[in-house]
């Protein structure tokens, strides 16, 4: 009951949903699929360069990736150095746009996982089916929408469930970059649970927040299965 009457809980829940949808469902998922499609027929050297570049972020320990992103978005960091070359005044990115910064950081770090899932799925699509669609006059977008996507929908569902659970548990990345601030503008449920359980000593309250995270993951997983199951409807 205390959780439902806490004015800080709706904010943390909303930020968690936004962080999840933008950085995982939209960012990692679609960017991973786009990279897999672009490199499917690319020369080997191009595939190697893309894979190395993208996977490097994924294999980094989370604490290392977090400090790298903090350095990139800090007031005297790489981003302001690059924009300064164009004559743009420095911006306190982590203060002005904290949620956007952690969203971009999570996309950068997690896209490799989706890309590898989709590369494996695309390799299992029989070339004969794609060739038949080409003969029937289907263009690139039609082949993607009516041939490729339906054939890899199980992989899409699996990928969405996994990156959803991974993103729901993201703590170190946000804690290092913004600590949930300023003014709780990037406080997702994991940081909210940590602050309540270990900052204020409310272990039971922190456990209740963790239970909400579990339920949130279950709801998203159920939706993925319902929407993407063979013959399923949205």
């Amino acid at each position: 009951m205390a959780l439902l009457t806490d004015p800080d809980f709706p904010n943390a829940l909303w930020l968690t949903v936004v962080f999840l949808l933008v950085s995982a469902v939209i960012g990692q998922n679609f960017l991973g699929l786009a990279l897999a499609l672009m490199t499917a027929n690319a020369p080997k050297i191009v595939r190697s360069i893309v894979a190395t570049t993208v996977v490097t972020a994924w294999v980094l320990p989370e604490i290392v990736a977090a400090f790298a992103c903090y350095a990139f978005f800090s007031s005297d960091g790489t981003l302001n150095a690059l924009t300064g070359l164009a004559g743009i005044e420095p911006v306190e990115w982590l203060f002005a746009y904290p949620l956007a910064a952690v969203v971009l950081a999570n996309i950068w770090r997690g896209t490799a996982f989706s890309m590898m899932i989709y590369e494996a799925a695309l390799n299992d699509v029989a070339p004969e089916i794609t060739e038949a669609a080409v003969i029937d006059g289907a263009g690139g977008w039609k082949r993607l929408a009516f041939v490729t996507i339906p054939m890899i929908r199980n992989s899409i569902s699996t990928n969405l469930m996994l990156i959803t659970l991974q993103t729901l548990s993201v703590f170190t990345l946000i804690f290092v970059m913004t600590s949930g601030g300023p003014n709780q503008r990037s406080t997702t449920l994991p940081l909210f649970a940590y602050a309540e359980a270990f900052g204020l000593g409310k272990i039971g309250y922190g456990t209740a927040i963790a239970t909400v995270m579990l339920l949130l993951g279950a709801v998203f997983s159920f939706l993925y299965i319902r929407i993407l199951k063979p013959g399923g409807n949205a």
Side-chain angles (χ1 to χ4, degrees), residues 40 51 54 106 110-111 116 124-125 151 163 165 181 183 197 200 225 231 234:
V54 176
N106 194 53
T111 296
M116 290 186 292
D124 289 336
V125 176
M151 294 196 68
I163 63 175
L165 297 177
N183 298 323
L200 300 179
I225 293 173

Side-chain angles (χ1 to χ4, degrees), residues 104 114 117 162 165 176 218:
L104 291 174
S114 294
I117 290 287
L162 292 175
L165 297 177
V176 169

Side-chain angles (χ1 to χ4, degrees), residues 87-169:
I88 300 175
E89 291 293 324
V91 176
E92 293 281 353
W93 300 103
L94 295 175
F95 182 83
Y97 309 103
L99 187 61
V102 296
V103 162
L104 291 174
N106 194 53
I107 292 173
W108 168 73
R109 186 167 187 269
T111 296
F113 181 82
S114 294
M115 185 186 74
M116 290 186 292
I117 290 287
Y118 289 133
E119 281 182 342
L122 291 173
N123 287 334
D124 289 336
V125 176
E128 296 81 7
I129 298 177
T130 303
E131 292 170 1
V134 173
I135 293 173
D136 289 339
W141 287 110
K142 285 187 177 180
R143 292 199 304 272
L144 176 63
F146 298 107
V147 178
T148 304
I149 296 300
M151 294 196 68
I152 66 170
R153 64 166 58 201
N154 286 336
S155 295
I156 295 175
S157 178
T158 299
N159 179 64
L160 284 171
M161 283 190 285
L162 292 175
I163 63 175
T164 292
L165 297 177
Q166 290 170 356
T167 300
L168 278 174
S169 64

Side-chain angles (χ1 to χ4, degrees), residues 27-49:
Q28 293 180 17
N29 183 57
F30 282 97
L31 184 56
L33 178 59
L35 289 172
L37 289 168
M38 287 189 295
T39 58
N41 298 313
K44 185 176 180 180
I45 183 64
V46 174
R47 292 200 304 271
S48 299
I49 293 174

Side-chain angles (χ1 to χ4, degrees), residues 33-102:
L33 178 59
L35 289 172
L37 289 168
M38 287 189 295
T39 58
N41 298 313
K44 185 176 180 180
I45 183 64
V46 174
R47 292 200 304 271
S48 299
I49 293 174
V50 172
T52 301
T53 303
V54 176
V55 173
T56 297
W58 184 60
V59 299
L60 285 174
E62 188 175 6
I63 186 67
V64 176
F67 276 109
C69 292
Y70 176 81
F72 181 80
F73 286 105
S74 63
S75 58
D76 57 349
T78 307
L79 182 55
N80 276 333
L82 293 174
T83 56
L85 297 176
I88 300 175
E89 291 293 324
V91 176
E92 293 281 353
W93 300 103
L94 295 175
F95 182 83
Y97 309 103
L99 187 61
V102 296

